[in-house]
């Protein structure tokens, strides 16, 4: 697409470099989700820090769930404050610094230090999740409604490039370390530093180029972190008239729970069930990110023409196929097919969901209502992986049963998606409050 075509997708006054800066945050933080949550530290925690104990997967998913619960309870209030003072960018800078520092601190975790590992994991993933919500709230300021899918897809696509770059650098280091005879306890800490450095360096591009477009909202509700529970209840109540937005939230809770399983447990499943070696897992996740890049970029353009709802429904069917193939796979080659489909669907489902939410969020309450979107995503991120961990623990380690059960989340998401009317939700978001 040429520069003129890109400009036609943007709101008046928005520069191309701002969109690039915004998309660079997806580039920056994707290394964290790829290396820490998916490919490297997850498997290292279960197999190395926790020694492969029966409760290790449940402990990992529980730690993530605690961080998501913190974000669920606090992000709507923080989003309302950001709307009030026009401080989304300022807050984004602070939470980015917190995630970079805590990611580097994961290098301190050694085998047997389960409590320390969980504590730092909770801190880093909480800051990471805050950043995800804040950067998403900039999308309606940058893109025209009819181009929301394309612009969202640009961000996700660049994000997967960032994830692949970070993972690729880590993979090169891990292969060299293994050639020297080093163990996971020796090379995993270095990968945490690599991830932190890439995150921080790329995020500086965002801070240099992205502007705060929304003016201060003095009438926005004053909600401190300590009042977040009350603020969450108030925001949920005020969101009820936006019926299609709330229906999308319910849909997201279901299908994003399944996506969260893929993100947080792919490496664990590959190594514990299929028999992948750490370097094979990293290569698999690298290829998964290529497929996700293609899915986000290709369907990011298609969804603006085909429709966000139909595009999302298509990807949910793909996710169901992924769960079935993964549960039935008895060899690495078959599991590779599941990983490729999952990657393509991951990029598309996350991009189309964010674009749909952007269309139906009231323009004068972006931070607050995207806080609700984060609430839904984090609730899903608790329910999906935690259910997987519980099923694995209660079934004496039967992860095939757990991944097969995950398909039900995508079935439920598809059912809840059916009543959503995107155009009606868009009209409601444009009405004065």
């Amino acid at each position: 697409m040429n520069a003129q075509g890109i400009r036609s997708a943007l709101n008046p006054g928005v520069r191309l470099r701002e969109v690039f800066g915004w998309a660079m945050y997806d580039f920056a933080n994707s290394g964290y989700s790829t290396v820490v949550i998916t490919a490297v530290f997850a498997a290292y925690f279960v197999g190395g820090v926790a020694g492969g104990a029966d409760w290790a997967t449940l402990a990992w998913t529980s730690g993530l769930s605690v961080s998501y619960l913190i974000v669920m309870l606090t992000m709507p209030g923080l989003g309302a404050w950001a709307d009030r003072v026009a401080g989304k960018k300022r807050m984004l800078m602070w939470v980015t610094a917190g995630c970079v520092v805590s990611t580097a601190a994961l290098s301190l975790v050694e085998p047997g230090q389960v409590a320390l590992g969980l504590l730092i994991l909770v801190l880093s993933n909480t800051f990471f999740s805050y950043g995800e919500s804040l950067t998403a709230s900039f999308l309606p300021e940058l893109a025209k409604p009819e181009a929301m899918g394309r612009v969202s897809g640009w961000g996700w696509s660049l994000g997967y490039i960032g994830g692949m770059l970070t993972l690729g650098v880590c993979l090169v280091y891990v292969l060299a370390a293994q050639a020297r005879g080093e163990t996971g306890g020796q090379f995993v800490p270095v990968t945490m530093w690599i991830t932190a450095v890439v995150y921080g360096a790329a995020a500086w591009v965002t801070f240099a180029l992205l502007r705060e477009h929304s003016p201060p909202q003095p009438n926005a509700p004053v909600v401190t972190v300590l009042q977040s529970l009350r603020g969450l209840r108030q925001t949920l109540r005020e969101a009820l008239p936006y019926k299609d937005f709330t229906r999308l939230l319910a849909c997201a809770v279901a299908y994003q729970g399944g996506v969260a399983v893929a993100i947080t447990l792919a490496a664990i499943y590959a190594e514990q069930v299929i028999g992948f070696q750490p370097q094979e897992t990293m290569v698999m996740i690298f290829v998964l990110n290529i497929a996700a890049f293609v899915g986000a970029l290709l369907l990011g353009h298609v969804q603006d023409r085909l429709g966000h709802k139909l595009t999302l429904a298509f990807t949910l069917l793909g996710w169901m196929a992924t769960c079935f193939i993964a549960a039935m796979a008895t060899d690495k080659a078959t599991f590779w097919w599941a990983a490729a489909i999952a990657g393509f669907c991951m990029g598309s489902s996350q991009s189309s969901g964010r674009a749909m939410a952007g269309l139906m969020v009231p323009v004068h309450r972006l931070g607050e209502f995207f806080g609700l979107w984060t609430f839904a995503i984090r609730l899903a991120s608790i329910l999906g992986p935690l259910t997987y961990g519980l099923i694995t623990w209660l079934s004496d380690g039967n992860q095939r049963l757990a991944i097969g059960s995950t398909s039900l989340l995508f079935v439920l998401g598809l059912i809840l998606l059916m009543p959503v009317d995107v155009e009606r939700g868009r009209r409601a978001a444009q009405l004065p409050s």
Side-chain angles (χ1 to χ4, degrees):
M1 180 181 292
N2 57 34
Q4 185 59 40
I6 295 175
R7 288 192 184 95
S8 67
L10 307 181
N11 286 323
V14 176
R15 300 179 179 180
L16 291 178
R17 67 177 190 173
E18 287 184 71
V19 179
F20 175 72
W22 172 78
M24 276 299 293
Y25 197 82
D26 280 344
F27 180 101
N29 71 0
S30 290
Y32 175 87
S33 60
T34 302
V35 176
V36 177
I37 304 300
T38 303
V40 180
F41 195 80
Y44 172 67
F45 179 87
V46 171
V49 178
D54 292 340
W55 45 263
T57 300
L58 181 58
W60 173 255
T61 56
S62 297
L64 293 175
S65 296
V66 169
S67 67
Y68 295 139
L69 181 61
I70 292 171
V71 175
M72 283 170 51
L73 297 179
T74 58
M75 191 62 225
L78 293 174
W81 175 86
D83 285 336
R84 182 179 179 84
V85 302
K88 296 194 300 295
K89 179 178 176 180
R90 195 186 329 159
M91 186 184 296
L92 182 62
M93 295 176 72
W94 280 108
V95 300
T96 299
C99 189
V100 168
V101 171
S102 51
T103 299
L106 287 171
S107 64
L108 302 175
V109 181
E110 299 178 356
Q113 296 180 324
V114 175
L116 178 63
L118 289 175
L119 174 61
I120 302 177
L121 172 69
V122 169
L123 287 174
S124 65
N125 201 51
T126 298
F127 286 125
F128 168 80
S129 301
Y130 283 149
E132 272 196 319
S133 177
L134 288 165
T135 191
S137 69
F138 281 94
L139 178 59
E141 297 179 359
L142 302 175
K144 293 178 180 178
E146 65 272 16
M148 203 82 73
R150 273 176 287 165
V151 178
S152 179
W154 297 340
W156 280 112
S157 300
L158 195 56
Y160 289 118
I161 292 176
M164 287 187 287
L165 173 66
T166 308
L167 182 61
V169 174
C170 291
L171 178 59
V172 170
Y173 177 80
V174 167
L175 291 175
Q178 288 180 326
R180 295 191 298 268
E182 294 183 12
T183 64
Q186 294 171 297
F187 60 71
V188 168
V190 178
T191 65
M192 297 300 100
W193 275 102
I194 293 172
T195 304
V197 169
V198 173
Y199 193 164
W204 272 113
V205 179
T206 299
F207 304 145
L209 300 179
L210 186 62
R211 292 191 298 127
E212 186 86 47
H213 285 267
S214 294
Q217 301 286 339
N219 295 324
V222 179
V223 183
T224 67
V225 175
L226 296 178
Q227 296 171 312
S228 287
L229 279 174
R230 183 185 302 173
L232 174 61
R233 183 176 59 186
Q234 176 182 340
T235 305
L236 282 170
R237 183 171 60 249
E238 294 176 358
L240 290 178
Y242 302 92
K243 296 185 182 299
D244 291 290
F245 177 71
T246 55
R247 287 168 180 160
L248 180 62
L249 290 180
C251 170
V253 170
Y255 83 81
Q256 287 283 6
V259 174
V261 169
I263 293 173
T264 59
L265 296 159
I268 296 172
Y269 189 90
E271 294 187 16
Q272 299 288 322
V273 179
I274 307 299
F276 276 56
Q277 296 300 311
Q279 66 273 19
E280 292 178 306
T281 301
M282 295 177 73
V283 172
M284 179 196 69
I285 300 300
F286 189 89
V287 174
L288 187 149
N289 272 266
I290 295 176
F293 166 78
V294 174
L297 187 61
L298 178 62
L299 291 186
H301 287 271
V302 170
Q303 66 182 290
D304 287 323
R305 299 181 181 180
L306 184 64
H308 304 289
K309 179 178 175 178
L310 187 58
T311 303
L312 181 57
F314 172 76
T315 64
L316 296 184
L317 292 174
W319 275 116
M320 294 176 205
T322 296
C323 292
F324 177 79
I325 295 172
M328 295 294 104
T330 56
D331 57 79
K332 295 177 181 179
T334 304
F335 189 73
W336 268 101
W337 280 104
I341 298 173
F344 186 84
C345 293
M346 185 181 300
S348 174
S349 59
Q350 292 179 312
S351 174
S352 58
R354 181 168 68 177
M356 286 179 69
L359 285 171
M360 294 187 280
V361 169
V363 294
H364 54 287
R365 302 177 72 176
L366 296 179
E368 187 177 3
F369 270 58
F370 262 105
L372 282 182
W373 177 251
T374 298
F375 176 88
I377 301 304
R378 294 315 162 204
L379 178 59
S381 298
I382 292 174
L383 296 178
L386 195 57
T387 300
Y388 183 103
L390 285 170
I391 291 175
T392 300
W393 181 48
L394 294 174
S395 62
D396 296 325
N398 189 343
Q399 295 196 51
R400 294 187 184 276
L401 176 62
I403 197 66
S405 300
T406 301
S407 65
L408 299 177
L409 293 173
F410 297 111
V411 173
L412 179 59
L414 187 60
I415 293 172
L416 293 173
L417 178 65
M418 292 301 99
V420 176
D421 188 319
V422 178
E423 185 56 36
R424 183 176 60 197
R426 176 182 170 183
R427 291 196 301 268
Q430 295 173 341
L431 294 174
S433 59

